[in-house]
Each structure stands twice: as structure tokens, then as C-alpha cells.
């Protein structure tokens, strides 16, 4: 039975489904329709659902968003794309309104063991290569099923054994169409000993639109994948995204999620330690004002022994902004010698800002080291007094402390040019930010 809230999406699929990549491929048609049926039965989540208790999707239900299978209504220029660059030599793939824009993209020389393509190309011509990776993760939200039904384009990256891609792969997703829905799908498959850095970057204009993105990462023995997500959606954009990783023996996964834009945004990040000796680092920063609402849900499954995870999220909220953080670490039976640490710290700059934070630990094994904690507060009065006693006026002192609080997450970025560029973006969002951009040595 189709839930009422899903009816517009079902109707949109009947209109656009025949033009999606891979249309006419029997197994892919079945996969899309099965996924749509699951979404149709469940419908758009409400606040009665525990996982959506603090995030209302009423806006998504009120406005009808439609897929645009035939490309963008607006032409984007190279200077506009260059403004989104992160100051580092990179392989850049640009997608406008959900479709690859080769004229705006730049892919330099890649090592022989790296296969890089667009998902639209793979779905149309190489379906056997992607078929094993298109089933959503078991703990994915219902929007993963919606993405599977409508998936149109995105990154496909396969790394052969020992292959290292030195330059980051920068995926730029630009939304321009009013009332449009885009469903990017990215797949990264890293063989033993391989390594790469992926930057997943979302930006948009003033239009009201809906982005529903899904990224799946498979890291084999000893592989190292670094993933950075930068969410800069437009002021009226709705963003729902997920990154799901599966890790094999001694693999390393590093995730950094930075949320600056969007009217409503939800990001789910999960990883599963499917063998011994895995490592994961999940860091995040959200800087909000006005009436923005940003929700992060994370989950780390320590399913095998000798796993190490570190999670550190920070938020800065002003105006009437609201943030949600739900971080869950599960230590399964038999996962001894697990070392897991998790923290979430929030800074409220106004009386109207609000945070709902819920760090969680579930421990079903002995001989583990696990800690978690969360704080929500305002600027420290003693620190403000100290800075003012050294000659700073109150606005400058408040700005300096706020910047230092948020900058701690940015400092964790390994690539210096990316770190400096994100520090500039951060400074522009904070009070008196122009005064706080660090000088380049």
C-alpha cells in the first residue's frame, strides 16, 4: 500500500523512470521498482519515528519536487565553478542539477589502477560492475531506497590493489532548478592497500530544491579512504545525504562533515568494522544561523576485535537555528580490545538557538575502552573578560573565541590548501570573520 506522502514521488517515477540511466536493463528496472515500493510503503518519515524525532520533514511534503532527467535548465560557467575550488590540485567532476557536466570538469592523469567514471555511464554501459554495490546498507534510512529508485549520476571509483590516487577527487554538485529533485549516487571500491581522498561538495542557488544523495564506500584489507563532505546548499535547499562505509581488516576510514548551508539538512554517516584492526575517524562541524536546521546521525559498528574509532563533532549556532546530533557507537559481542571515543560540543550564540544532542554507547563485549560526552553552552565569561582586559572590545573578543572553538575541527584536515580554504569559508560565516582569516605563511 502506498503511503499518501509518497504519492508525488511515485507519480514522478512513472513520468521520469523511462529516461533514467540503464532503463530497459531488467535487473536494474527491478531494483529501482523494488526500492520505490519500499519507500512508497514507508512514506516520508515523521517526528513519530524515533530516528526523526527532532527533525520535521513537513516542508518536503508540502512542496512537490520533480526529477529532471534531461539536464539542467541553467548554464553554469567555468568561473562560477572555479569559485567553488578548494585551492589544491584536484580531479574535479562537476554535476549540475544531477547531471555530469564534462565541460566544467577536469580529470588529470590517473594511475593505471584507478578506474574513474560517472554513475550514469556505468548504469548505462557497465551495469555488471556496479550491481553488487547498489543495494542500500542495512541501517540506511528510507531515503536510500528513494535514491536507488531515482539514482541518476555521480562518481564511480574503483582502485586496484596498491593503487594510490595522490590528488583529491573533488565532486561538485550544483543545484539550480526551482522545485527540482536530484539524486546523486556515488560508489567507491578500494582494493587492498589502495588509498584516495574524496571531497563531496554540494552548493546551490536561491531556488527551492531537494538533494537526496547516497555514497557507498567499500574498503578492503589495508585500504585508506579519506572522505570530506562540504554542504553549502542554498538558503532554501533541502539536503538529505548519507555516507555508508564497510571496512575490512586493518582498513582506515576518515570522515569530515562540514555543514554550512541549506534550510533543512540531514546527514547519516555509518561505518562497519567487518574484520579486526579497523580504524575510523568521524569529525564534523556545523555553523548555523537564521532558522537553519541541521541534523547529523552517525553510527560506528565495532563488529570485530581490536578496532579503534574517534568521533568529534562541534556546532556553532546563532539566531533561531537548530541542530541535532545523534552519534551511536555499538560494540558487538566478541569485539574485545575496542577503543572508542566520542564527543559533541556546541556553542550557542543566541537565546533562540537550540541543540538536541544524544551520544550513545552500546557495549556487548568485555575488555574495551569506550567514552562519550556532550556539552551545550555559551562563551566562557572568564575568557571574554581576559581578552577584553587585553584591549579587545566585546564583539572582537566574542568573535575570536567563537572562531577558535570552530577552527579546532578544521585543523584536523590533512591537506593544507583545503584546510586554509575551509578556514576562509568558516571565517566568512562567523562574526567579524574577515578579521580572523589567518595569514598564509
Amino acid at each position: 500500500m502506498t503511503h499518501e506522502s509518497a504519492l508525488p514521488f511515485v507519480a514522478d517515477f512513472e513520468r521520469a523512470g523511462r529516461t533514467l540511466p540503464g532503463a530497459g536493463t531488467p535487473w536494474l528496472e527491478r531494483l529501482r521498482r523494488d526500492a520505490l515500493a519500499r519507500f512508497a510503503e514507508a512514506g516520508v518519515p515523521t517526528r513519530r519515528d524515533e530516528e526523526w524525532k527532532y527533525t520535521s520533514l513537513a516542508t518536503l511534503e508540502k512542496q512537490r519536487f520533480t526529477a529532471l532527467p534531461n539536464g539542467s535548465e541553467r548554464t553554469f560557467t567555468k568561473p562560477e565553478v572555479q569559485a567553488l575550488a578548494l585551492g589544491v590540485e584536484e580531479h574535479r567532476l562537476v554535476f549540475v542539477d544531477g547531471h555530469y557536466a564534462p565541460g566544467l570538469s577536469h580529470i588529470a592523469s590517473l594511475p593505471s589502477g584507478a578506474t574513474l567514471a560517472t554513475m550514469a555511464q556505468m548504469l548505462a554501459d557497465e551495469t555488471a560492475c556496479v550491481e553488487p554495490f547498489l543495494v542500500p546498507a542495512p541501517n540506511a534510512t528510507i531515503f536510500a531506497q528513494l535514491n536507488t529508485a531515482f539514482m541518476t549520476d555521480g562518481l564511480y571509483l574503483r582502485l586496484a590493489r596498491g593503487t594510490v590516487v595522490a590528488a583529491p577527487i573533488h565532486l561538485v554538485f550544483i543545484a539550480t532548478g526551482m522545485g527540482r529533485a536530484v539524486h546523486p549516487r556515488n560508489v567507491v571500491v578500494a582494493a587492498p592497500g589502495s588509498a584516495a581522498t574524496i571531497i563531496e561538495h554540494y552548493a546551490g542557488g536561491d531556488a527551492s530544491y531537494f538533494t537526496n544523495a547516497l555514497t557507498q564506500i567499500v574498503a578492503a584489507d589495508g585500504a585508506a579512504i579519506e572522505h570530506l563532505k562540504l554542504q553549502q546548499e542554498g538558503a532554501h535547499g533541502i539536503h538529505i545525504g548519507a555516507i555508508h562505509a564497510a571496512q575490512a581488516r586493518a582498513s582506515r576510514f576518515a570522515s569530515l562533515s562540514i555543514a554550512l548551508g541549506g534550510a533543512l539538512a540531514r546527514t547519516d554517516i555509518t561505518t562497519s568494522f567487518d574484520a579486526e584492526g579497523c580504524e575510523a575517524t568521524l569529525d564534523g562541524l556545523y555553523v548555523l544561523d537564521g532558522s537553519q536546521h541541521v541534523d547529523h546521525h552517525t553510527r560506528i559498528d565495532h563488529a570485530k576485535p581490536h578496532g579503534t574509532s574517534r568521533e568529534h563533532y562541534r556546532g556553532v549556532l546563532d539566531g533561531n537555528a537548530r541542530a541535532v546530533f545523534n552519534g551511536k557507537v555499538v560494540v558487538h559481542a566478541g569485539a574485545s580490545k575496542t577503543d572508542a571515543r566520542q564527543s559533541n560540543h556546541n556553542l550557542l550564540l543566541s537565546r533562540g538557538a537550540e541543540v538536541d544532542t544524544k551520544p550513545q554507547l552500546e557495549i556487548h563485549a568485555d575488555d574495551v575502552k569506550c567514552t562519550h560526552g556532550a556539552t551545550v553552552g555559551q562563551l566562557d565569561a572568564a575568557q571574554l573578560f581576559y581578552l577584553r582586559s587585553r584591549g579587545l572590545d566585546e564583539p572582537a573578543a566574542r568573535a575570536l573565541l567563537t572562531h577558535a572553538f570552530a577552527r579546532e575541527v578544521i585543523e584536523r584536515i590533512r591537506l593544507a590548501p583545503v584546510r586554509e580554504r575551509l578556514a576562509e569559508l568558516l571565517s566568512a560565516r562567523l562574526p567579524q570573520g574577515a578579521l580572523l582569516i589567518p595569514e598564509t605563511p
Side-chain angles (χ1 to χ4, degrees):
M1 183 176 178
T2 299
H3 194 281
E4 183 178 357
S5 63
L7 288 173
F9 296 98
V10 173
D12 196 34
F13 183 84
E14 295 305 323
R15 177 190 63 84
R18 291 184 296 275
T19 65
L20 293 171
T25 303
W27 74 263
L28 184 54
E29 292 273 7
R30 288 193 300 272
L31 179 72
R32 289 189 188 276
R33 290 199 171 273
D34 287 348
L36 183 68
R38 292 188 179 92
F39 177 82
E41 183 178 0
V44 176
T46 71
R47 297 180 72 169
R48 292 188 297 272
D49 298 293
E50 182 63 28
E51 292 296 302
W52 298 85
K53 182 177 180 179
Y54 300 107
T55 297
S56 170
L57 297 176
T59 304
L60 184 60
E61 292 190 65
K62 289 177 183 177
Q63 183 173 348
R64 180 166 181 170
F65 296 95
T66 58
L68 187 66
N70 297 320
S72 175
E73 296 176 335
R74 180 190 181 285
T75 301
F76 231 71
T77 65
K78 285 189 175 182
E80 288 177 299
V81 172
Q82 189 60 36
L84 298 172
L86 297 177
V88 65
E89 291 295 324
E90 62 187 21
H91 307 283
R92 187 184 307 147
L93 284 76
V94 180
F95 302 84
V96 181
D97 289 329
H99 298 271
Y100 181 56
L104 302 176
S105 303
H106 171 72
I107 302 174
S109 177
L110 289 164
S112 59
T115 300
L116 187 152
T118 67
M119 278 299 295
Q121 175 187 345
M122 299 301 294
L123 291 172
D125 303 324
E126 302 286 345
T127 54
C129 295
V130 295
E131 182 177 2
F133 309 106
L134 296 184
V135 175
N139 52 10
T141 74
I142 195 63
F143 286 98
Q145 301 293 347
L146 184 65
N147 177 282
T148 300
F150 280 94
M151 56 185 173
T152 304
D153 216 341
L155 169 74
Y156 174 79
L157 176 66
R158 180 184 285 272
L159 303 175
R161 179 183 291 270
T163 300
V164 176
V165 180
I169 299 169
H170 187 187
L171 314 176
V172 183
F173 296 94
I174 303 169
T176 70
M178 174 65 75
R180 297 301 181 184
V182 293
H183 301 271
R185 184 63 161 265
N186 306 302
V187 171
V188 177
V189 183
S194 61
T197 297
I198 314 296
I199 301 173
E200 199 173 324
H201 189 175
Y202 295 88
D206 294 331
S208 177
Y209 59 89
F210 171 42
T211 299
N212 176 35
L214 177 58
T215 296
Q216 291 174 275
I217 298 170
V218 179
D221 295 359
I225 297 296
E226 186 175 1
H227 183 276
L228 189 157
K229 178 179 179 178
L230 175 57
Q231 189 268 103
Q232 282 183 289
E233 300 281 20
H236 303 288
I238 298 175
H239 179 99
I240 295 179
I243 301 107
H244 298 295
Q247 296 185 238
R249 183 181 301 273
S251 61
R252 302 188 305 279
F253 173 58
S255 164
L256 173 60
S257 176
I258 299 177
L260 305 177
L264 170 65
R266 160 80 176 242
T267 298
D268 285 72
I269 303 172
T270 72
T271 188
S272 175
F273 292 2
D274 298 328
E276 294 190 16
C278 295
E279 297 180 13
T281 302
L282 273 59
D283 293 326
L285 174 66
Y286 38 95
V287 181
L288 316 176
D289 57 18
S291 59
Q292 286 183 281
H293 183 111
V294 169
D295 182 341
H296 279 92
H297 271 59
T298 69
R299 178 173 174 134
I300 302 173
D301 278 283
H302 286 262
K304 299 294 180 180
H306 299 281
T308 301
S309 67
R310 298 289 183 266
E311 183 169 10
H312 183 70
Y313 269 71
R314 291 198 167 206
V316 178
L317 287 80
D318 206 346
N320 294 310
R322 185 165 184 175
V324 179
F325 174 80
N326 187 306
K328 179 179 288 188
V329 176
V330 182
V331 182
H332 294 261
S336 60
K337 304 297 182 181
T338 286
D339 183 353
R341 302 178 192 175
Q342 180 194 72
S343 66
N344 174 229
H345 301 297
N346 298 276
L347 182 60
L348 305 184
L349 302 180
S350 66
R351 293 181 180 273
E354 185 178 347
V355 174
D356 294 291
T357 178
K358 186 180 179 182
Q360 295 176 271
L361 279 176
E362 291 186 13
I363 302 175
H364 306 282
D366 298 322
D367 193 14
V368 301
K369 294 190 297 183
C370 298
T371 63
H372 69 160
T375 60
V376 179
Q378 299 176 331
L379 290 171
D380 186 275
Q383 292 177 342
L384 278 172
F385 177 81
Y386 175 81
L387 291 175
R388 295 195 67 187
S389 71
R390 294 300 185 269
L392 292 180
D393 60 22
E394 183 172 351
R398 292 176 65 86
L400 184 61
L401 290 175
T402 303
H403 185 274
F405 175 86
R407 181 67 187 260
E408 182 175 323
V409 175
I410 300 295
E411 290 294 340
R412 297 168 182 261
I413 298 174
R414 178 180 55 83
L415 295 170
V418 176
R419 185 171 63 246
E420 292 169 7
R421 175 61 180 144
L422 290 180
E424 292 176 1
L425 294 176
L426 172 63
S427 294
R429 285 296 305 271
L430 295 175
Q432 297 194 358
L435 302 177
L436 300 173
I437 298 175
E439 296 182 2
T440 304

